[in-house]
């Protein structure tokens, strides 16, 4: 079983190119695409952070809110929100150009509230390219940085560095290790 090599053709979730995935978790073809995926997720979290700040400021008792506030509080895009407003499904008052206020009661009925849980950029899990060519084995780390295996394991646990076992080897992303011991 240790010798069984995992290798399956997948499409990279970023660039769409087929690649040979060597671990079950492989989702991206290269380091470049892994980094792109991480940047995208980070941008999404930051966007959510901005939305949650807008939503937070809306008092619970307020009956009418702005379109911007509605988009921050509910999972709804601008286009469909305006469709609901134009069709009259959501009552609105127009105080002038860009000054539409819409009633919250109907929004509650039609759209789910946005979920801002787990929206913390500091806790965003980093994505790693765990393909063996981007990793060191424990033995390689021990040799390269002149320490014994148990010290390597200790540091990996201490700094929560991800590892992946493939066959008899434990793989650790090169980038993390080089960073740690540079
Ligand atoms: Zn790719």
């Amino acid at each position: 079983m240790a010798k069984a090599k995992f290798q399956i053709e997948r499409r990279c979730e970023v660039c769409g190119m087929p690649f040979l995935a060597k671990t079950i978790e492989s989702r991206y073809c290269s380091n470049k695409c892994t980094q792109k995926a991480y940047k995208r997720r980070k941008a999404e979290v930051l966007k959510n952070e901005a939305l949650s700040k807008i939503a937070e400021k809306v008092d619970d008792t307020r009956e009418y809110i702005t379109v911007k506030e509605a988009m921050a509080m509910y999972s709804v895009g601008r286009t469909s929100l305006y469709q609901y407003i134009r069709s009259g499904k959501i009552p609105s008052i127009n105080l002038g150009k860009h000054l539409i206020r819409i009633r919250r009661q109907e929004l509650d009925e039609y759209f789910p509230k946005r979920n801002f849980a787990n929206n913390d950029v500091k806790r965003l899990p980093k994505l790693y390219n765990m393909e063996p060519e981007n990793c060191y084995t424990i033995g390689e780390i021990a040799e390269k940085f002149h320490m014994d295996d148990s010290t390597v394991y200790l540091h990996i646990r201490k700094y929560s560095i991800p590892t992946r076992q493939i066959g008899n080897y434990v793989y650790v992303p090169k980038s993390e290790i080089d960073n740690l011991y540079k």
Side-chain angles (χ1 to χ4, degrees):
M1 199 186 119
K3 282 192 192 117
K5 261 195 176 167
F6 182 89
Q7 208 170 53
I8 188 168
E9 190 171 295
R10 278 207 187 132
R11 278 191 187 277
C12 173
E13 288 179 24
V14 171
C15 71
M17 291 291 286
F19 71 103
L20 284 178
K22 296 186 196 73
T23 69
I24 293 175
E25 291 86 355
S26 303
R27 293 160 65 190
Y28 314 106
C29 71
S30 60
N31 257 332
K32 208 176 129 193
C33 283
T34 307
Q35 271 158 28
K36 249 189 207 166
Y38 176 73
K39 275 189 193 147
R40 278 183 196 173
R41 286 188 56 192
K42 192 173 162 182
E44 201 172 303
V45 169
L46 288 173
K47 191 184 141 204
N48 276 331
E49 225 170 57
L51 291 177
S52 88
K53 278 193 187 125
I54 297 171
E56 258 171 37
K57 284 187 192 143
V58 179
D59 196 296
D60 277 346
T61 57
R62 221 162 89 206
E63 198 183 346
Y64 283 85
I65 59 177
T66 68
V67 170
K68 200 176 162 190
E69 285 165 344
M71 288 195 308
M73 293 168 67
Y74 300 89
S75 284
V76 59
R78 184 180 295 274
T79 314
S80 46
L81 191 54
Y82 274 108
Q83 273 166 7
Y84 275 80
I85 296 170
R86 252 182 263 120
S87 72
K89 279 186 191 160
I90 297 175
S92 65
I93 334 171
N94 199 344
L95 305 173
K97 209 177 177 222
H98 301 303
L99 286 170
I100 295 176
R101 296 288 181 275
I102 46 187
R103 201 159 75 182
R104 203 153 134 195
Q105 194 186 319
E106 280 74 15
L107 290 165
D108 274 330
E109 275 170 37
Y110 292 127
F111 311 112
K113 280 252 170 72
R114 267 187 209 279
N115 181 9
F116 293 115
N118 303 321
N119 190 68
D120 185 346
V121 78
K122 279 178 241 108
R123 279 189 298 156
L124 185 67
K126 222 171 152 180
L127 294 176
Y128 297 97
N129 190 327
M130 298 298 285
E131 300 302 321
E133 58 265 33
N134 294 300
C135 293
Y136 294 124
T137 61
I138 300 293
E140 282 169 352
I141 300 167
E143 203 185 306
K144 189 170 178 185
F145 298 99
H146 312 292
M147 54 185 83
D148 53 38
D149 288 14
S150 57
T151 312
V152 176
Y153 277 115
L154 196 80
H155 290 166
I156 284 170
R157 272 198 309 273
K158 188 173 169 191
Y159 297 103
S160 309
I161 295 169
T163 59
R164 181 126 307 145
Q165 174 123 25
I166 307 173
N168 289 325
Y169 293 100
V170 173
Y171 289 91
V172 191
K174 279 181 184 171
S175 55
E176 293 307 292
I177 294 300
D178 288 338
N179 246 329
L180 183 63
Y181 296 127
K182 78 174 173 219

